[in-house]
């Protein structure tokens, strides 16, 4: 949904670790999100893999951008891939033409957002994640039923809110 807020057509490659497990869930969720939100300006192009090795991310992204010059968004759920995404965009002289969309708020992500290389990043609520686990364990110990899954909240951080959310 956040990618769809960008103007114009958004052609997306997804960088993941491998074509299995969590990566497949992420890609399937992305595709379903495009359809369920009616995002007519967002197109999934390809899924590329760096084996979860951040030293390979820049090369993998660079090769994908060469193979798909129409791509203008590199999306990754791998927090460790951010430096490689930024490096590939810079080395291919695509700053201002291609953006990264990432996961988690780190100093590199904040710099990337401020520099216009990273469009945005998901900020997870780690404190709420931890406190909900404790609350649910206490509830279970008292014989109570707990929810199968819990939304602990995610904030999408962009240039518009990085000053307040980039911590």
């Amino acid at each position: 949904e956040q990618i769809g807020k960008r103007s114009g057509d958004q052609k997306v490659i997804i960088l993941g670790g491998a074509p299995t497990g969590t990566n497949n869930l992420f890609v399937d969720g992305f595709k379903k999100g495009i359809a369920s939100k009616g995002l007519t300006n967002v197109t999934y192009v390809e899924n590329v893999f760096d084996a979860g090795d951040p030293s390979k991310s820049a090369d993998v992204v660079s090769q994908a951008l060469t193979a798909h010059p129409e791509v203008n968004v590199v999306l990754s759920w791998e927090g460790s891939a951010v430096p490689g995404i930024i490096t590939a965009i810079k080395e291919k002289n695509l700053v201002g033409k291609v953006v990264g969309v990432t996961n988690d708020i780190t100093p590199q992500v904040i710099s990337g957002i401020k520099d216009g290389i990273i469009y945005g990043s998901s900020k997870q609520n780690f404190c709420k994640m931890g406190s909900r686990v404790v609350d649910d364990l206490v509830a279970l110990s008292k014989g109570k039923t707990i929810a199968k899954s819990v939304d602990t909240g995610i904030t999408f951080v962009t240039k518009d809110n990085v000053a307040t959310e980039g911590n």
Side-chain angles (χ1 to χ4, degrees), residues 76-79 82 101-106 109 120-124:
S76 184
W77 56 271
E78 295 181 302
V82 173
V101 175
T102 61
N103 186 36
D104 285 340
I105 297 299
T106 64
V109 170
S121 191
S122 299
K123 177 183 175 184
Q124 300 176 70

Side-chain angles (χ1 to χ4, degrees), residues 9-27:
D9 289 334
Q10 305 304 303
K11 307 290 185 179
V12 182
I13 58 170
I14 296 176
L15 173 64
T20 59
T22 301
N23 189 74
N24 284 352
L25 294 172
F26 185 87
V27 172

Side-chain angles (χ1 to χ4, degrees), residues 82-146:
V82 173
I85 293 169
I86 290 172
T87 298
I89 292 170
K90 284 181 175 179
E91 287 182 350
K92 304 238 359 127
N93 295 314
L94 293 172
V95 175
K97 297 175 186 163
V98 175
V99 296
V101 175
T102 61
N103 186 36
D104 285 340
I105 297 299
T106 64
Q108 288 174 318
V109 170
I110 293 169
S111 287
I113 290 171
K114 289 178 179 178
D115 293 343
I117 301 169
I118 301 294
Y119 168 67
S121 191
S122 299
K123 177 183 175 184
Q124 300 176 70
N125 190 335
F126 292 115
C127 291
K128 191 170 182 182
M129 288 177 193
S131 65
R132 274 304 300 259
V133 168
V134 172
D135 292 345
D136 285 353
L137 287 172
V138 169
L140 283 172
S141 74
K142 294 179 179 180
K144 295 181 180 176
T145 302
I146 61 169

